[in-house]
Amino acid sequence: MHQEAWNEELQALREEALESLRLSVDEASLEAWRVRYFGKKSQLTAWSRQLGGMDPEERRAVGQQLNAVREVLESGYKGQLEEVRAQAIRHQLAAETLDVTLPGRARRVGTLHPTTRTIEEIEAVFLALGFTIAEGMEVETDEYNFEMLNVPKDHPARDMQDTFYLTDELLLRTHTSPMQVRVMKQIGPNQPLKVIVPGRVYRRDEDDATHSHAFAQIEGLVVGEGVRMSDLKGTLEAFAKALFGQQQSIRLRPSFFPFTEPSVEVDVRCIQCQGTGCRVCKDTGWIEILGAGMVHPHVLEAAGYDARRFSGFAFGMGPERVAMLKYGIPDIRLLYQNDLRFLTQFRRVLS
Amino acid sequence: MRLSYKWLSEFVDLTGVSPEELATRLTAAGLAVDSVEPRNHGVSGVVVGHVLTCERHPNADKLNVCTVDVGGAEALQIVCGAENVAAGVKVPVALVGSRLPGDVQIGKAKLRGVASEGMLCSARELGLETRWLPAHRTNGLFLLPQTAPIGRNVVELLDLDDVVLDVDLTPNRSDCLSLRGFAYEVAALLGRENQFDAVAKSQTSELSSAGPLKIHLETDACSVYAGQVMDATHKSESPLWMQMRLLASGVRPIDCLVDVTNYVMLEWGQPLHAFDADCIEEETIIVRSAAAEEVLVTLDGQTRILDETMTVIADPTKALGLAGVMGGQNSEITSTTRRIVLESAAFHAGNTRRTGQRLGLHSEAQQRFERGVDMAAILPALQRATDLLVSLAGAERDGGPVVVGAMDGNTLSRSIAFSPARCNRLLGANIEPAEMRSIFHRLGFTLTGHDTAGEWSVMVPTRRMDLQIQEDLVEEIGRIHGLDSIPSTLPELWISKEAVHLDHRLRSATRHALAWQGMNEVFTYAFVSEGAANALLLPDHSPLAHPIPLMRPMSEERSHLRTHLLPSLAEVALHNLSHGAAGGQIFEIAHVYLADSLPLLQRPSEPWMLGCLWFGSTPESFSERPRLYDFYDAKGVVESWLTSLGFDQLQFRPADESWLHPGRSAQVLAKGVCLGSFGQLHPLVMRSLRLPHALYGHFDLDKLAAHLPEHRLVSPLPKYPQSRRDVAIIVPEEISAEELLKAAEDAVHARRGEVALRAEVFDVYTGKGVPAGHRSIAMALTLSAEDRTLTEDEIQASVDGVVESLAEKYGAILRGQDSGHASRME
Ligand SMILES: [Zn+2]
């Protein structure tokens, strides 16, 4: 063949192959195309073999043309292959859709009781302040629950805490304060200590929105040489800030507990109105959250401490009351009713 | 204590201090004011009127047409429907244009055709404290005394411009159960002097010679007894001003005699009692212990059986009253009484309290005695009451008061050592000693001894019985000075070895582990009914069957301490099932209370228990159909939780707890120690608890804490790949999975010690192809060696060994074998 003839044949092949390539829109037809135009039995292969029988000049000229056509077809093939693959992915993605709004299959997480959450939160604050945690038994003796705390029999202060007795001497503790003496006896005498005591306590109160015959309490006790009332204030201020926010402040009001002297009640700025006055705080801007005071010398002595050298402060708070304030729980009985629609509102792990 | 602002202002100058300001100051000083309430709820323009005429209304049977003189030029015509209206009475008249509580404005009106120029008022319409007024003063018009000046503003006449502070007193402040006590307090707070002398002197009587009364104290329960005999007391009303002060203080006006004793009690804090002197034999009062089973009919008409711990006021023949608690009917003042004995005494606080509690009585007088009365007030209070009865009720003294017992107030006041430096050290404050001295002075305490050495001697008067030691005085300084001035400091940091005990951490970890498995924590009450645990089919010898009773329970449902958490959790499940829940998973960690013996001799044991309850069905979800919770749900939770605590190689054996289904429950053992049990509830237990379907888990956390595994070092990772082969074998169904796996592992270990095998169940099948009484168990066998990669031949030999061994032991038949997943690294 003449060069012109070669040229014509090659161009014809090129056109035909490119047209066929354009119509190959999936990987299978592309593979068939590749075999047809580049395979062992393809025209291009056959022609390449013929190059050997040509004179050098012709071989060079035809070879060049042959290569040019091959390159065009190869690059066309690659481009088409890429396009087809991309197209296939696009189709796959378009076809594979979910309703992402349907609920996930993960195991549903349960909940800690709001009282537990609050107790753990309070414990964490005091642990960070260097306190340790102790626990006591709920059935106490009259001696530890009252007498060693400076409340003799027939003392009117017993009216403050109407008591469930089991026998004349055994009772359900009305507060966690008996642990003051027990902890001092355990660690002392005359050893410094910083401890909190969480636990359940019992009083003969009719259950209503704010009273419960059973409730949780956390006692705190710090005893050492030179412990001052200002330490009490600083500690409880740190607690209030940690629990209710750094903007919090506290207020001490003189009060009476037989086992502390001086005794105070501690208020925090109303969480609801930030102190401007609302129904929750009865328009005072303050909410009472705990009772506290300097440990009465009689209590220190009952526990075997030297009351001239050692002083201390104690406080007691109701974590349920804290939880009610913090989460806006209107009725303490909700905490004992255990309705799952209520409990499952406490899924959030961070407090 | 309801405190009248106007009455208080008689004893201390309150100029410039509003009731609200006073309330704030008192609250800040530890006398918490609960409310500040004006007595006037909106009365204005109401005056005293004199009804001149009263005629039947021409068109209405129940109405009267009155002409009323209100001090104006002409009498007013007013229509009135009250039954007690009559010509001649004096009444409050709301004039046209006046206002009454409830935003009522009075205008001209026409009632059934007759014009009415105002309204005659009842106690309720004036907003008076009707709950403390007798019925005859609240029915109809509030009649005023004839001495009331016509035209006088009723707000002034009835002290409606007074304001009442309701103070919530702490039990130590018995001194503030009186106006005079409050006056000291307020004077100290305001830095003003009180004005007792002006009030007291003007009414103090001259002491005449002692009266005819003879008094014998035969018990320690009375330290001082004073009596005054008086003649001719007749029943009449006390003056209006006194009634208004009583009303403001929340005390019911009754008659002049009773009102005077109450008035003086409010003023001085000293309870007084009056006996009919003619009922007292030989004019002799004996204070003695009651005889056992002595009988006394008290003023309330109740027959009381007394005992020797109680103290009575008696004459030589009979008891006349319960000391400090209530008088007796046999010496009650009546309309025929001609002579009275007025009593003012100090009865023992604890004794009075005990007597009141035993008899279920609680009076204002008793409340004061049980907190301790002021010795120094006994005689002045008696004199004050005597004076008032003379001037208001026309009574006459029969001699002076007779006093027996230790009386001298000065010898009873206490001297307490006080160091200003120690006070500042305890408060962490910096209060000037001069300021401290001033506070003591204002409180009426005197300083004696040398105060230069930094040690003072503070004389505390008898009214402050609550002050005993230096710290009490520190509190006085702190609260009067103001606690706001105390700075905030932190105590020295000292760190202990174990901040949180293991058992506490174990409970916390358990709560979190269970919550992460979908369980919801609950808090239930420790008190249950006596029969709460009956549902659990407990044998009688079980300590769980014998709950500890409360001595005075509040209700039958909450009368005993629980021995088991299941009944409480069942209650929670029932609540939720009846409120729309289809099921749930709940748990509680709490004490149960187990007595060594009943009646209780020592503190019971209080183990920390974990109770888990799965009830009803799993939550509905589009990817999983709801189904009843089953044994494996419970087991999955229990296993995950115990594994998270470090327990491994747990063993599960059939449980034998009475409340569990014997075939569908297990006890969990770790190294042979039973940690607890779980499983489906016994059908009879479910029926008793009214639960449709439930599983229960029961664990003693104290025991768990005692057997918690030690921390372990990590095992080295395998160096050579592991190979997995799956085999399915058919075995009789009574062969447990645990047994089968252990036999497989033992088989390889016995034959080829250097090859390690771990066997796990991944499928259990019964049905087609498996003979009855058998099941097919598919096991994944993971094989490895420490020193090389196992060859195909070695692996096959091991698997064959397992199959042969199981065939030998249990007649197991190989159902299929698979190369499983290609070797996997773990
Ligand atoms: Zn507020």
Side-chain angles (χ1 to χ4, degrees):
Chain A
M1 267 197 292
H2 295 292
Q3 225 170 307
E4 288 76 30
W6 270 113
N7 197 14
E8 247 172 59
E9 290 280 348
L10 278 168
Q11 289 317 314
L13 178 72
R14 178 172 162 242
E15 290 314 312
E16 176 205 316
L18 285 177
E19 176 60 20
S20 162
L21 184 63
R22 213 161 38 77
L23 298 173
S24 305
V25 292
D26 57 43
E27 281 202 57
S29 50
L30 267 175
E31 180 59 15
W33 185 93
R34 192 188 62 78
V35 169
R36 185 166 156 214
Y37 292 101
F38 291 113
K40 287 176 185 159
K41 293 174 183 169
S42 68
Q43 189 67 59
L44 276 177
T45 308
W47 283 340
S48 298
R49 284 199 200 103
Q50 292 180 21
L51 287 176
M54 294 182 188
D55 60 54
E57 194 169 321
E58 191 184 14
R59 181 163 63 210
R60 193 174 50 81
V62 173
Q64 270 177 359
Q65 284 185 352
L66 208 59
N67 279 340
V69 170
R70 189 188 295 275
E71 272 168 31
V72 166
L73 293 188
E74 268 178 3
S75 90
Y77 168 76
K78 276 184 191 153
Q80 182 72 351
L81 186 60
E82 266 173 37
E83 174 53 29
V84 162
R85 283 183 175 165
Q87 185 72 28
I89 290 288
R90 277 198 297 275
H91 280 135
Q92 183 189 350
L93 293 183
E96 293 175 353
T97 58
L98 294 175
D99 179 354
V100 297
T101 64
L102 285 172
R105 199 175 284 121
R107 179 154 213 151
R108 273 172 220 214
V109 174
T111 47
L112 293 181
H113 193 279
T115 305
T116 293
R117 295 166 61 98
T118 310
I119 291 172
E120 289 197 347
E121 207 184 326
I122 294 170
E123 284 175 354
V125 172
F126 285 105
L127 285 171
L129 288 169
F131 282 68
T132 63
I133 298 177
E135 286 172 302
M137 285 165 69
E138 292 172 16
V139 176
E140 259 300 351
T141 60
D142 189 276
E143 189 187 9
Y144 275 89
N145 194 76
F146 288 122
E147 287 180 42
M148 286 173 128
L149 294 174
N150 215 17
V151 188
K153 287 208 162 69
D154 298 319
H155 193 283
R158 291 205 176 194
D159 286 346
M160 293 164 89
Q161 301 178 2
D162 206 353
T163 310
F164 287 110
Y165 279 91
L166 300 175
T167 67
D168 286 340
E169 281 308 311
L170 293 176
L171 47 81
L172 283 150
R173 62 179 176 192
T174 56
H175 47 189
T176 41
S177 307
M179 280 301 285
Q180 288 187 19
V181 176
R182 289 194 184 275
V183 166
M184 280 192 271
K185 281 193 163 180
Q186 202 182 319
I187 294 178
N190 298 335
Q191 293 297 315
L193 58 89
K194 272 204 303 210
V195 65
I196 57 166
V197 185
R200 292 197 200 186
V201 302
Y202 302 86
R203 289 184 200 170
R204 286 180 53 90
D205 276 330
E206 292 289 343
D207 294 346
D208 63 23
T210 53
H211 295 86
S212 177
H213 72 273
F215 58 100
Q217 203 172 53
I218 296 181
E219 188 81 7
L221 177 69
V222 174
V223 177
E225 290 187 67
V227 173
R228 304 154 292 179
M229 192 144 177
S230 56
D231 296 333
L232 179 161
K233 194 173 182 181
T235 301
L236 294 176
E237 204 163 74
F239 158 75
K241 284 179 190 294
L243 218 70
F244 298 113
Q246 286 305 309
Q247 78 291 348
Q248 258 298 347
S249 54
I250 62 166
R251 173 177 87 164
L252 304 186
R253 269 186 300 110
S255 187
F256 169 73
F257 305 105
F259 40 95
T260 50
E261 190 68 45
S263 302
V264 290
E265 264 160 331
V266 181
D267 301 338
V268 293
R269 280 270 170 217
C270 177
I271 292 139
Q272 193 76 34
C273 66
Q274 324 300 338
T276 55
C278 70
R279 200 176 45 82
V280 173
C281 59
K282 291 185 195 149
D283 286 323
T284 62
W286 295 93
I287 291 182
E288 180 196 326
I289 53 158
L290 54 87
M294 302 304 290
V295 181
H296 197 289
H298 292 174
V299 176
L300 287 169
E301 281 155 14
Y305 274 65
D306 179 351
R308 283 163 308 173
R309 260 175 67 207
F310 281 80
S311 55
F313 66 83
F315 55 88
M317 68 179 95
E320 282 146 342
R321 181 164 162 71
V322 173
M324 288 168 76
L325 288 172
K326 196 164 167 150
Y327 299 114
I329 299 166
D331 189 325
I332 192 170
R333 287 169 295 195
L334 278 168
L335 295 172
Y336 289 92
Q337 189 180 51
N338 300 302
D339 194 304
L340 287 168
R341 294 165 299 181
F342 171 75
L343 295 177
T344 50
Q345 293 179 42
F346 294 93
R347 284 224 171 85
R348 179 179 153 147
V349 179
L350 284 176
S351 53
Chain B
M1 171 84 182
R2 288 170 57 92
L3 181 67
S4 155
Y5 178 84
K6 274 185 90 172
W7 194 355
L8 179 70
S9 66
E10 241 176 52
F11 298 111
V12 58
D13 180 12
L14 295 177
T15 311
V17 183
S18 70
E20 288 73 20
E21 162 80 8
L22 182 64
T24 306
R25 299 290 290 268
L26 286 171
T27 299
L31 297 153
V33 178
D34 280 351
S35 67
V36 179
E37 204 189 325
R39 283 195 70 214
N40 187 347
H41 295 288
V43 176
S44 71
V46 180
V47 299
V48 177
H50 188 207
V51 178
L52 301 174
T53 64
C54 179
E55 307 285 339
R56 177 66 44 86
H57 191 290
N59 305 322
D61 280 354
K62 293 194 170 169
L63 294 179
N64 288 297
V65 180
C66 308
T67 51
V68 185
D69 178 5
V70 293
E74 281 176 38
L76 304 176
Q77 173 176 288
I78 297 176
V79 177
C80 175
E83 281 180 15
N84 61 346
V85 68
V89 297
K90 286 199 173 166
V91 289
V93 183
L95 302 175
V96 170
S98 69
R99 288 182 169 275
L100 292 176
D103 246 344
V104 177
Q105 181 154 16
I106 305 299
K108 275 192 181 173
K110 236 180 192 171
L111 287 135
R112 297 264 179 127
V114 178
S116 182
E117 300 171 285
M119 185 175 114
L120 310 187
C121 302
S122 69
R124 192 175 309 280
E125 282 156 347
L126 292 172
L128 291 179
E129 297 86 343
T130 47
R131 65 192 144 143
W132 292 311
L133 279 172
H136 73 270
R137 315 276 328 253
T138 56
N139 295 336
L141 302 178
F142 187 71
L143 299 182
L144 298 171
Q146 283 303 317
T147 51
I150 293 167
R152 173 89 187 274
N153 187 339
V154 157
V155 169
E156 289 163 26
L157 183 78
L158 299 183
D159 271 345
L160 290 181
D161 48 352
D162 196 2
V163 176
V164 177
L165 281 69
D166 197 353
V167 189
D168 184 12
L169 287 178
T170 52
N172 56 326
R173 294 306 301 273
S174 57
D175 61 304
C176 285
L177 287 167
S178 73
L179 264 298
R180 291 174 61 95
F182 253 110
Y184 279 108
E185 190 72 20
V186 172
L189 280 174
L190 301 179
R192 297 178 184 180
E193 297 291 326
N194 29 50
Q195 307 155 354
F196 296 131
D197 291 344
V199 180
K201 261 181 200 154
S202 64
Q203 326 226 347
T204 303
S205 61
E206 274 174 36
L207 280 181
S208 44
S209 59
L213 198 65
K214 293 178 281 296
I215 302 171
H216 302 291
L217 299 189
E218 295 180 358
T219 166
D220 294 343
C222 175
S223 52
V224 178
Y225 194 101
Q228 171 75 53
V229 183
M230 303 188 83
D231 280 330
T233 301
H234 64 278
K235 289 211 165 195
S236 67
E237 276 188 0
S238 61
L240 200 56
W241 61 264
M242 182 177 276
Q243 291 183 34
M244 289 304 123
R245 285 189 174 177
L246 292 176
L247 277 183
S249 308
V251 173
R252 195 178 287 277
I254 294 170
D255 60 44
C256 195
L257 174 58
V258 175
D259 289 0
V260 164
T261 58
N262 282 333
Y263 185 84
V264 173
M265 178 175 74
L266 290 169
E267 195 175 78
W268 285 84
Q270 172 64 35
L272 303 170
H273 183 71
F275 300 92
D276 186 331
D278 292 331
C279 302
I280 302 175
E281 301 282 334
E282 300 171 29
E283 293 197 313
T284 300
I285 292 265
I286 301 167
V287 186
R288 61 167 168 85
S289 298
E293 317 226 331
E294 186 168 0
V295 175
L296 177 71
V297 180
T298 43
L299 280 176
D300 55 4
Q302 300 280 314
T303 302
R304 310 280 177 178
I305 313 291
L306 313 182
D307 64 43
E308 298 102 314
T309 67
M310 301 174 181
T311 305
V312 292
I313 313 302
D315 68 11
T317 62
K318 61 187 179 295
L320 303 167
L322 277 165
V325 178
M326 194 179 268
Q329 227 172 34
N330 57 13
S331 54
E332 187 181 2
I333 308 294
T334 65
S335 53
T336 59
T337 299
R338 296 179 300 111
R339 266 155 66 81
I340 62 162
V341 170
L342 209 53
E343 162 200 288
S344 179
F347 298 114
H348 186 267
N351 188 283
T352 313
R353 178 178 160 83
R354 218 165 23 239
T355 303
Q357 276 183 338
R358 292 219 177 143
L359 299 177
L361 287 167
H362 197 81
S363 64
E364 286 274 332
Q366 181 193 340
Q367 185 195 1
R368 285 170 171 81
F369 282 121
E370 68 179 41
R371 293 172 185 219
V373 293
D374 178 3
M375 291 291 183
I378 290 171
L379 199 52
L382 184 61
Q383 288 169 334
R384 171 84 165 129
T386 309
D387 287 347
L388 285 170
L389 287 175
V390 168
S391 63
L392 302 176
E396 275 176 40
R397 284 186 205 84
D398 185 350
V402 180
V403 186
V404 177
M407 188 58 225
D408 187 353
N410 286 329
T411 59
L412 292 165
S413 59
R414 273 171 310 279
S415 163
I416 301 172
F418 177 86
S419 145
R422 180 165 164 89
C423 175
N424 274 329
R425 217 161 40 238
L426 195 64
L427 293 176
N430 195 10
I431 303 168
E432 290 295 328
E435 157 83 353
M436 296 186 193
R437 201 176 293 133
S438 159
I439 288 170
F440 285 143
H441 172 73
R442 270 141 60 195
L443 284 167
F445 306 173
T446 47
L447 300 184
T448 59
H450 48 283
D451 63 332
T452 44
E455 181 95 347
W456 301 352
S457 208
V458 181
M459 284 293 280
V460 177
T462 49
R463 71 188 157 82
R464 293 302 303 273
M465 308 274 280
D466 57 314
L467 305 180
Q468 301 280 346
I469 57 171
Q470 173 156 225
E471 284 73 10
D472 294 325
L473 294 179
V474 172
E475 177 170 79
E476 294 301 295
I477 296 293
R479 66 184 190 85
I480 302 291
H481 176 74
L483 295 177
D484 288 345
S485 66
I486 293 179
S488 293
T489 58
L490 284 175
E492 227 176 282
L493 190 74
W494 48 85
I495 305 290
S496 78
K497 276 172 281 187
E498 194 192 13
V500 190
H501 293 297
L502 178 68
D503 59 326
H504 188 91
R505 283 187 284 140
L506 170 90
R507 289 194 299 276
S508 177
T510 297
R511 287 192 184 97
H512 286 262
L514 294 177
W516 277 108
Q517 307 247 23
M519 310 278 294
N520 296 294
E521 189 191 16
V522 301
F523 265 48
T524 61
Y525 295 127
F527 299 168
V528 294
S529 67
E530 179 171 19
N534 289 352
L536 308 185
L537 309 175
L538 297 164
D540 190 56
H541 61 77
S542 165
L544 303 185
H546 304 284
I548 302 164
L550 298 176
M551 281 174 83
R552 266 188 325 135
M554 296 180 76
S555 68
E556 261 179 49
E557 296 92 79
R558 309 235 175 271
S559 58
H560 286 68
L561 299 185
R562 64 180 165 194
T563 58
H564 205 287
L565 299 182
L566 174 54
S568 309
L569 293 185
E571 258 184 60
V572 174
L574 286 175
H575 167 87
N576 281 289
L577 288 169
S578 67
H579 285 79
Q585 325 177 59
I586 57 174
F587 74 98
E588 178 168 22
I589 294 178
H591 288 297
V592 297
Y593 312 83
L594 306 174
D596 291 339
S597 61
L598 284 176
L600 208 55
L601 295 174
Q602 56 187 24
R603 291 168 89 191
S605 65
E606 294 177 20
W608 278 105
M609 298 302 297
L610 163 66
C612 303
L613 189 72
W614 295 261
F615 60 93
S617 54
T618 59
E620 223 166 312
S621 133
F622 86 101
S623 60
E624 219 180 326
R625 287 174 174 284
R627 55 175 175 77
L628 293 179
Y629 283 106
D630 68 20
F631 176 84
Y632 298 102
D633 289 317
K635 185 173 176 184
V637 170
V638 168
E639 276 179 318
S640 304
W641 158 56
L642 288 172
T643 310
S644 76
L645 295 178
F647 286 102
D648 49 12
Q649 296 170 3
L650 294 170
Q651 290 179 307
F652 295 86
R653 297 276 175 275
D656 63 349
E657 302 288 13
S658 63
W659 56 87
L660 291 177
H661 184 309
R664 293 186 172 179
S665 64
Q667 52 174 315
V668 192
L669 298 105
K671 296 200 172 137
V673 177
C674 176
L675 303 178
S677 61
F678 65 93
Q680 193 169 313
L681 286 178
H682 194 289
L684 295 176
V685 173
M686 278 204 270
R687 196 181 304 161
S688 306
L689 294 174
R690 293 175 293 134
L691 286 174
H693 172 81
L695 297 104
Y696 185 67
H698 177 85
F699 293 87
D700 180 336
L701 296 185
D702 291 343
K703 199 167 169 189
L704 218 71
H707 292 93
L708 213 55
E710 297 282 315
H711 275 288
R712 281 199 324 201
L713 301 176
V714 295
S715 329
L717 299 179
K719 285 201 188 88
Y720 298 92
Q722 303 175 328
S723 302
R724 169 172 165 168
R725 293 291 181 278
D726 293 347
V727 294
I729 52 163
I730 295 169
V731 283
E733 62 186 8
E734 63 269 18
I735 311 299
S736 76
E738 186 187 307
E739 191 177 352
L740 206 63
L741 296 176
K742 184 154 190 316
E745 287 172 3
D746 288 350
V748 169
H749 188 76
R751 291 178 199 207
R752 306 179 56 94
E754 80 280 20
V755 177
L757 173 98
R758 205 176 65 244
E760 285 163 290
V761 171
F762 68 86
D763 192 31
V764 176
Y765 171 75
T766 53
K768 207 177 154 203
V770 177
H774 288 66
R775 55 185 183 161
S776 165
I777 293 184
M779 295 185 287
L781 308 177
T782 307
L783 298 114
S784 62
E786 265 183 36
D787 55 348
R788 63 186 189 282
T789 304
L790 293 173
T791 65
E792 243 345 277
D793 289 350
E794 283 179 305
I795 292 165
Q796 194 55 51
S798 297
V799 173
D800 291 347
V802 167
V803 174
E804 272 166 38
S805 167
L806 297 182
E808 230 168 77
K809 242 178 155 167
Y810 307 115
I813 301 158
L814 183 66
R815 190 161 161 256
Q817 184 184 340
D818 195 317
S819 65
H821 307 282
S823 74
R824 54 177 181 169
M825 300 288 290
E826 288 189 6

